[in-house]
Amino acid sequence: MIIRAERPADYAEVYRLVRTAFATVCRDGAEPDEQDYLEELRGKDAFIPELSLVAELDDGTLVGQIVLYKTAITTPEGELTELLLSPICVHPDYVRRGIARTMVAEALRVARGLGFRAVFLCGDSEIYGRLGFLPSYRYGIFHQEDASLTAEWSMVRELYPGALDGVRGVVDTV
């Protein structure tokens, strides 16, 4: 298996992969919409092609997908551009094989190389905590919809130690 940048020729297969992967987590028979979200994201300025990655088996089958894209942290000094992870998925036939962990590691490596400081996400703190993500409020950075200022689901991972030292603000995850 290799982790590589997604190519335009992959878009249709990635669309099906994302729809299939998220169909297993949709409740009440609802149709997943993450595949459409990803389609729209590719047309926005926030999209960074080098940070849209796929996991490909030796036979060319795509079994995983991850994308990091630009998001803003609004601080008293102005806006900072960092990254948001969304979506990430693995085909249901290939879960629990370390694919997601490997994709996250590669995406973080590429992001660090591009000069970014941190990656945010909204997700399960137990799952993403195992990947080094911590609640963002611990850094003084709060999700725009977190009235409690203690949301465990608004998470961040610094791309190098101290990357968020002195940064305080509100993160936009839209």
Side-chain angles (χ1 to χ4, degrees):
M1 179 186 73
I2 64 165
I3 308 298
R4 64 165 174 81
E6 175 189 51
R7 299 182 288 251
D10 298 324
Y11 290 175
E13 187 175 354
V14 169
Y15 186 92
R16 290 186 298 274
L17 167 66
V18 174
R19 185 181 64 220
T20 299
F22 279 97
T24 64
V25 297
C26 284
R27 298 173 228 347
D28 302 326
E31 180 70 22
D33 61 0
E34 285 81 4
Q35 68 278 355
D36 296 322
Y37 175 79
L38 179 57
E39 287 274 307
E40 290 174 25
L41 176 61
R42 290 187 189 112
K44 295 183 178 183
D45 289 338
F47 183 71
I48 305 167
E50 298 89 342
L51 291 172
S52 185
L53 308 177
V54 293
E56 181 180 46
L57 299 178
D58 293 338
D59 68 2
T61 303
L62 301 184
V63 296
Q65 167 279 327
I66 185 172
V67 65
L68 307 179
Y69 61 93
K70 295 177 197 172
T71 192
I73 304 171
T74 304
T75 73
E77 294 78 31
E79 281 195 353
L80 297 175
T81 300
E82 291 304 331
L83 298 171
L84 181 68
L85 186 164
S86 177
I88 179 174
C89 71
V90 174
H91 190 282
D93 293 343
Y94 295 89
V95 296
R96 303 210 186 280
R97 297 184 189 190
I99 295 170
R101 181 178 297 275
T102 303
M103 288 190 305
V104 168
E106 179 62 8
L108 297 178
R109 185 193 69 75
V110 173
R112 196 172 26 257
L114 292 173
F116 290 98
R117 296 189 278 187
V119 175
F120 291 82
L121 60 80
C122 293
D124 185 313
S125 61
E126 188 175 318
I127 292 170
Y128 290 102
R130 292 190 294 253
L131 299 174
F133 287 83
L134 296 170
S136 63
Y137 73 82
R138 293 186 185 181
Y139 293 90
I141 302 170
F142 305 95
H143 188 276
Q144 62 193 11
E145 296 177 10
D146 177 20
S148 72
L149 303 181
T150 59
E152 295 288 323
W153 47 263
S154 177
M155 305 186 77
V156 65
R157 175 152 172 200
E158 290 182 308
L159 294 177
Y160 54 87
L164 293 174
D165 287 355
V167 177
R168 301 291 177 266
V170 176
V171 66
D172 179 1
T173 60
V174 177

